[in-house]
Amino acid sequence: GFQSLAERTSGQPCRLPLVIMASGDTESGIRALLESGNYFGLEKEQVTILVQEKVAALASSDALLSMEGPYKVGTKPHGHGDVHFLLHSSGLVRRWHEEGRKWILFFQDTNTLYLTTFLCSLGVSAKHGLHANVVTMPRKAKEAAGSIARLTHWDGRSIVANVEYNQLEPLLKATGHHEGDVNGPDGFSPYPGNTNELLFSLSEYVSELEENGGQMP
């Protein structure tokens, strides 16, 4: 595995920490799966499960509360962004930084292909000294996948961000792109698909978390 590769290259022992963000709905099942699989080759101490809070859920775009019963409000996990606060409040990223670790990889369980390409992505990040690296993929126009795009404000400020597929088309048409999202000469949309794979430089990530109290801007 990757640990063995690192050990052969460096001549030093290597244990890569794995953090799984769960919710009250999934925590027990994840723990049971890990136990039944003997942590799938990892040592138990390498794996940390962080549990995000649940919040009141909405039943419709009219902001009506979802009800599980006459007197019980339905709840759902708060969202992916909780991982940053949990990593900060748990002290894990600070500890990793003090251990000399340099990079942190975020990925979702919806795509196992991350593990075939992330060493390439890590190499690109290291070679170019990137603070943040978002991995994308070719995407067909109007494909039901979020896209990565540079959004530019009228005063010149800009940000590279994920734009959900159901928002991209109206956004393009509202900003003068009357054809909307269309394929280019290569047969793909000029707005690549978001794989939800992120690589952060750990030192800059720790600084951002500490400056913002675990709330990523």
Side-chain angles (χ1 to χ4, degrees):
F2 302 117
Q3 292 181 151
S4 300
L5 175 63
E7 289 176 341
R8 290 197 303 270
T9 303
S10 67
Q12 301 292 327
C14 175
R15 291 296 178 267
L16 300 174
L18 172 67
V19 174
I20 301 172
M21 185 174 73
S23 71
D25 295 333
T26 60
E27 181 188 7
S28 61
I30 291 172
R31 291 189 184 278
L33 178 64
L34 290 170
E35 291 287 348
S36 67
N38 196 27
Y39 287 81
F40 300 95
L42 296 178
E43 298 171 5
K44 185 176 181 178
E45 294 73 22
Q46 288 178 257
V47 182
T48 302
I49 297 178
L50 300 177
V51 181
Q52 62 175 314
E53 294 184 2
K54 297 174 70 175
V55 296
L58 301 179
S60 69
S61 58
D62 295 323
L64 297 175
L65 288 174
S66 174
M67 304 298 295
E68 293 184 3
Y71 309 106
K72 185 177 181 181
V73 175
T75 59
K76 293 291 184 182
H78 193 216
H80 296 159
D82 276 8
V83 69
H84 304 294
F85 175 76
L86 292 172
L87 286 171
H88 172 68
S89 61
S90 67
L92 284 172
V93 288
R94 168 52 60 186
R95 189 179 80 199
W96 294 339
H97 187 249
E98 292 172 351
E99 291 172 348
R101 301 183 190 275
K102 297 180 179 179
W103 304 95
I104 181 169
L105 170 70
F106 294 87
F107 62 94
Q108 292 185 12
D109 60 0
T110 52
N111 186 351
T112 57
L113 295 178
Y114 299 125
L115 300 182
T116 66
T117 62
F118 87 92
L119 288 180
C120 300
S121 305
L122 176 58
V124 170
S125 293
K127 179 179 179 179
H128 297 284
L130 302 180
H131 292 182
N133 188 0
V134 181
V135 182
T136 63
M137 61 184 178
R139 173 183 163 277
K140 291 289 188 179
K142 299 177 176 56
E143 184 177 348
S147 61
I148 298 297
R150 180 181 296 276
L151 305 179
T152 303
H153 197 265
W154 63 270
D155 63 5
R157 289 177 295 140
S158 66
I159 185 173
V160 176
N162 176 71
V163 180
E164 291 298 340
Y165 68 91
N166 59 347
Q167 299 174 345
L168 180 62
E169 187 80 0
L171 175 63
L172 289 171
K173 291 183 176 180
T175 53
H177 301 79
H178 302 299
E179 294 182 350
D181 184 21
V182 295
N183 290 326
D186 62 354
F188 292 100
S189 168
Y191 307 98
N194 180 15
T195 66
N196 291 313
E197 179 183 1
L198 303 170
L199 265 165
F200 290 160
S201 170
L202 192 57
S203 59
E204 281 75 22
Y205 181 58
V206 169
S207 297
E208 287 289 340
L209 288 178
E210 294 184 346
E211 181 179 345
N212 296 288
Q215 304 296 325
M216 287 297 284

